[in-house]
Amino acid sequence: MAYNTQPTASHFVNGTYLEDTDGELIEVVYPATGAVIARVHAATPAVVAAAISSAKAAQKEWATKSGTERGRVLRRAADIMRERNHALSQLETYDTGKPMSETLYVDATSGADALEYFGGLAGALTGEHVNLGGDWGYTVREALGVCVGIGAWNYPTQIACWKGAPALACGNAMIFKPSETTPLCALKVAEILVEAGLPAGLYNVIQGAGAVGAALVTDPDVDKVSLTGSVPTGRKVYAAAADSMKHVTMELGGKSPLIIFDDADLENAVGGAILANFYSSGQVCSNGTRVFVQKGIKEAFLKRLAERLATAKIGDPMDETVNFGPMTSQHQREIVMSYIAKGKEEGARLVFGGAKIEGDGFFIQPTVFADVKDDMVIAREEIFGPVMAVLDFEDEEDVIARANDTEFGLSAGVFTSDLTRGHRVIGLMEAGSCFLNSYNDAPVEMPFGGSKMSGVGRENAKVAIEHYSQVKSVYVRMGDVESPF
Ligand code: NAD
């Protein structure tokens, strides 16, 4: 089976597709060819209102169901997603341009993992009994109410599930607004959840750009906002949510360090650096784009890196042997090219790539700069494309200080064969998601998220439950009340 790229309608509200052509037209472009593959409309105020009112109405009853009952729906949805993995992966490739060699393994499958994991956890959510020496207390874990999820364009299926699954497991409703660049995949997640038995209104998808996101964030009936996006957007959304004291999760950008000591296994370190910079053509928030290489292995590292990059298969993302696709949009390609120009201008040494690949798609060569200095723009700002900056270092203390000298704190990685040093250095990294002799693994069982400007809260793992529920505490007096009057 294959899905049509043109969805039945733009939005999915109250258990069914919904159209309102008064909303601004959004053309969906296949990044590998530049062709328009679908047209949807941004949500009008009427669509936003319908999404919120149906979510609010459905949530009350959903929260009264047992966790096991809620979890069963999520686990059924996980099974359906896995059965349709091929079609969902194709749609993800159309939406983002990421090659099928990636989407078949990390998008719908990762979404299904989240649905399965939180589906399993739902029945295990409990409060606590507290002995107060005669009197006692207990806590109840309650849903927050209506949650809003706002997505970035790099992992549309995964983000829709990573936010939806814990929200629904805890008894909330979710309104998801995908990125305007990649509006297609979340609609399928909504369709599958309903097919799995999710009552209408509990998972709505509405389209639009920042204005639609802002309308959701400022609505008084919304209780929580989870954003995946850039730091500037995060700042705006966090501030807007604060006005009505909404709960927030912020999954934002990064400029993460990857430290390679000269005792590291060279092949693994090169492989780690490739995963940390060129997977999804570099459009991964947790990427380790500042690659600090200890002087002793610098030239060997650069040589082997160039040899391996030369074997990358760039081309039609639908060809399952291709492993490097285009940028997700023309706009993003221009941003990345301007950073490449900046790197050259600042005097970094271009050792691989650095050019656009001519044609209709938005391709850029995998690009490596060496001899990068800490204060260069390409070492300080998030590029969100296939551009690796290699920096030299001599000793551990120096590299720790330099690795942490950034406003971001999403991820960090260390390659070394000295495990004591590996744990010591990771322990000092100011980052939420770290990797030792590996990079960019994101299993649902592990918390994911950033510190400093990279975010607030965590997704995945048991800790995500804290961010989609609240605790009510109840004091129970067993004797008479003693009052002063
Ligand atoms: P973006 O910040 O431009 O947009 C993110 C989302 O926010 C989009 O859906 C957009 O429509 C919406 N939005 C924009 N303005 C808004 C407003 N005022 N109110 C409400 N919503 C608004 O980000 P992007 O370009 O789509 O994605 C790339 C960024 O996302 C990078 O910085 C990347 O690092 C980050 N990212 C982070 C993670 C993570 O988990 N930490 C994952 C993927 C991407």
Side-chain angles (χ1 to χ4, degrees):
M1 117 188 229
Y3 289 124
N4 268 336
T5 52
Q6 176 62 47
T8 311
S10 301
H11 319 287
F12 195 95
V13 172
N14 206 19
T16 186
Y17 278 97
L18 174 69
E19 191 54 271
D20 183 349
T21 52
D22 284 349
E24 200 182 322
L25 180 68
I26 298 171
E27 291 194 325
V28 188
V29 174
Y30 180 38
T33 62
V36 174
I37 52 165
R39 289 182 174 80
V40 295
H41 294 269
T44 55
V47 170
V48 174
I52 292 173
S53 65
S54 68
K56 202 174 171 201
Q59 188 267 328
K60 294 272 177 284
E61 199 188 329
W62 179 243
T64 66
K65 295 200 184 305
S66 75
T68 306
E69 213 175 323
R70 291 198 297 264
R72 197 174 298 134
V73 173
L74 301 189
R75 286 183 294 106
R76 245 187 252 128
D79 290 344
I80 301 173
M81 283 194 82
R82 290 212 176 88
E83 279 159 25
R84 303 202 187 137
N85 182 44
H86 198 273
L88 290 165
S89 302
Q90 256 176 0
L91 196 66
E92 175 94 18
T93 292
Y94 276 123
D95 227 0
T96 62
K98 292 183 296 178
M100 287 290 280
S101 62
E102 292 187 12
T103 56
L104 281 169
Y105 303 100
V106 299
D107 291 287
T109 55
S110 154
D113 284 353
L115 290 162
E116 185 173 16
Y117 179 85
F118 288 105
L121 212 53
L125 301 178
T126 57
E128 278 183 320
H129 169 270
V130 186
N131 183 346
L132 298 169
D135 291 349
W136 55 283
Y138 63 96
T139 63
V140 185
R141 189 161 287 283
E142 292 186 334
L144 298 174
V146 175
C147 300
V148 160
I150 300 178
W153 41 256
N154 56 346
Y155 282 82
T157 307
Q158 185 187 80
I159 296 171
C161 294
W162 281 19
K163 298 188 189 307
L168 294 170
C170 291
N172 303 287
M174 164 65 63
I175 301 168
F176 188 76
K177 188 202 82 62
S179 163
E180 59 277 23
T181 309
T182 52
L184 305 180
C185 298
L187 292 167
K188 291 296 162 199
V189 174
E191 227 181 77
I192 287 170
L193 280 164
V194 166
E195 193 179 331
L198 188 74
L202 289 170
Y203 190 94
N204 296 327
V205 174
I206 66 171
Q207 309 295 349
V212 173
L216 291 168
V217 174
T218 49
D219 194 287
D221 282 331
V222 169
D223 302 285
K224 172 179 177 132
V225 179
S226 176
L227 169 77
T228 297
S230 61
V231 170
T233 304
R235 236 190 232 115
K236 283 190 229 161
V237 171
Y238 200 172
D243 209 39
S244 49
M245 220 56 84
K246 295 185 195 333
H247 297 248
V248 295
T249 299
M250 294 282 142
E251 290 289 351
L252 308 177
K255 189 75 191 177
S256 301
L258 170 57
I259 302 173
I260 298 172
F261 286 97
D262 57 15
D263 64 353
D265 178 286
L266 185 65
E267 281 308 304
N268 284 333
V270 169
I274 289 173
L275 288 176
N277 283 271
F278 302 116
Y279 203 73
S280 302
S281 297
Q283 302 163 113
V284 181
C285 53
S286 49
N287 270 358
T289 46
R290 288 183 296 140
V291 181
F292 291 93
V293 183
Q294 203 163 17
K295 277 197 167 155
I297 53 158
K298 177 185 164 185
E299 291 311 325
F301 172 85
L302 289 174
K303 178 169 175 284
R304 194 62 193 121
L305 180 65
E307 282 167 8
R308 286 179 60 174
L309 287 178
T311 69
K313 189 161 175 203
I314 305 172
D316 174 6
M318 291 296 170
D319 172 349
E320 290 179 25
T321 65
V322 162
N323 51 26
F324 189 87
M327 296 286 93
T328 292
S329 66
Q330 170 74 15
H331 177 62
Q332 188 61 18
R333 176 159 83 163
E334 293 318 315
I335 292 174
V336 176
M337 289 311 299
S338 75
Y339 276 109
I340 292 174
K342 190 84 196 160
K344 291 177 185 165
E345 208 179 291
E346 287 180 309
R349 174 163 61 107
L350 183 68
V351 293
F352 198 89
K356 279 183 191 174
I357 297 172
E358 292 312 325
D360 295 329
F362 314 138
F363 291 87
I364 299 180
Q365 293 171 335
T367 297
V368 180
F369 283 104
D371 304 335
V372 175
K373 302 287 175 265
D374 295 6
D375 59 355
M376 288 182 182
V377 171
I378 58 163
R380 303 217 67 81
E381 296 183 10
E382 183 184 46
I383 299 175
F384 220 57
V387 184
M388 183 195 293
V390 179
L391 304 97
D392 307 345
F393 78 95
E394 286 189 30
D395 66 72
E396 185 180 316
E397 204 182 325
D398 168 53
V399 79
I400 291 168
R402 290 167 62 202
N404 285 333
D405 182 20
T406 167
E407 61 170 357
F408 299 109
L410 186 49
S411 293
V414 174
F415 275 84
T416 177
S417 55
D418 176 346
L419 280 183
T420 306
R421 170 161 67 189
H423 289 294
R424 183 171 64 230
V425 175
I426 286 284
L428 291 167
M429 288 294 102
E430 296 167 0
S433 304
C434 296
F435 309 94
L436 185 49
N437 289 328
S438 190
Y439 209 90
N440 264 349
D441 315 77
V444 68
E445 297 88 347
M446 292 288 291
F448 183 82
S451 54
K452 293 158 80 176
M453 292 301 283
S454 293
V456 173
R458 293 290 178 269
E459 293 195 308
N460 287 343
K462 283 181 261 185
V463 69
I465 297 299
E466 303 290 334
H467 302 290
Y468 282 99
S469 60
Q470 58 194 336
V471 171
K472 173 183 279 174
S473 76
V474 182
Y475 187 103
V476 181
R477 185 173 293 280
M478 298 301 283
D480 293 332
V481 172
E482 283 178 32
S483 78
F485 309 106

